[in-house]
Amino acid sequence: MSADMPGMVERVEGKESRLRRDAAKGFTQIELAVVIAVLLAMVAFMTPTYLKYLKRSRAVLTLASVKDALGALSKDTGRWPGGADPKHLSASGRALELADLTAPDTGLFNDRGEVFSRERGWKGPYLPLSSLDPGTGKFLDPWGTPYFMDYSYNVNGKLFAVVGSAGPDRKGVNASDRDNIFVVVGDR
């Protein structure tokens, strides 16, 4: 047959080899659609986990800033929120817990109350006022609960002074549980 129609055979062979070359260069639309569907499913599955991680990371970074602010407040005034002496936490004998770090006598954002004043060395605010929730004026964690300070927080049977967040379950002060996020700021 090739002797009778040599051009015809060559043309068919040329078309087949060109198709093979094109298929080797790329993917079919079905293959691309499957890959895109798999990627979208992975994104949909991972987004909630990623957002949870971001909130937790933001809380940890904020608490590290609070710890630094407590150091500056203590250096300037010799006191921590509520009037506690950071050098003699165990001597005070009281189990002080502050459920709202913007309340009077906390000293981090303002000098309202009886403990802190410019005359007593207060040079704050020690945390930026922009970190307060604009609707409530409170210092809130990523889940909408106020950050707290607890001078006798139980960590594995030992008491520490901590600043913390209630975490995703939003159970605050006096509700130490596994999802609380805290930074130890002093030993009792």
Side-chain angles (χ1 to χ4, degrees):
M1 192 170 199
S2 64
D4 294 338
M5 301 198 304
M8 184 64 109
V9 172
E10 286 178 25
R11 203 171 307 138
V12 170
E13 286 176 4
K15 196 178 236 184
E16 286 177 17
S17 64
R18 191 175 79 228
L19 287 174
R20 283 189 202 126
R21 263 195 330 260
D22 290 345
K25 285 183 183 178
F27 299 100
T28 67
Q29 288 179 342
I30 293 173
E31 290 170 328
L32 288 174
V34 168
V35 168
I36 289 171
V38 168
L39 289 174
L40 288 174
M42 287 173 54
V43 167
F45 178 73
M46 294 303 294
T47 298
T49 303
Y50 180 69
L51 292 176
K52 185 189 294 186
Y53 171 77
L54 282 179
K55 283 184 173 185
R56 191 168 188 78
S57 297
R58 191 169 65 203
V60 169
L61 288 173
T62 300
L63 290 171
S65 296
V66 173
K67 182 176 182 178
D68 292 343
L70 288 170
L73 176 67
S74 173
K75 181 181 176 195
D76 291 348
T77 66
R79 298 279 172 214
W80 270 354
D85 182 347
K87 295 177 184 166
H88 302 98
L89 289 176
S90 60
S92 70
R94 58 185 180 160
L96 183 62
E97 297 176 33
L98 302 166
D100 176 10
L101 294 178
T102 57
D105 287 332
T106 56
L108 293 173
F109 294 99
N110 59 63
D111 61 351
R112 293 185 325 228
E114 299 174 14
V115 177
F116 300 104
S117 66
R118 299 256 179 224
E119 295 79 31
R120 293 182 181 146
W122 189 85
K123 298 175 186 167
Y126 295 92
L127 291 169
L129 296 176
S130 61
S131 59
L132 299 177
D133 180 67
T136 64
K138 302 285 184 193
F139 187 42
L140 303 177
D141 67 13
W143 299 276
T145 307
Y147 286 101
F148 65 86
M149 184 156 189
D150 188 339
Y151 288 99
S152 56
Y153 194 82
N154 187 339
V155 180
N156 298 325
K158 190 168 182 198
L159 298 179
F160 293 95
V162 303
V163 288
S165 159
D169 73 359
R170 304 181 74 191
K171 293 179 184 168
V173 182
N174 284 326
S176 174
D177 59 24
R178 292 170 54 108
D179 81 333
N180 283 10
I181 302 161
F182 60 89
V183 173
V184 173
V185 294
D187 197 351
R188 287 213 32 116

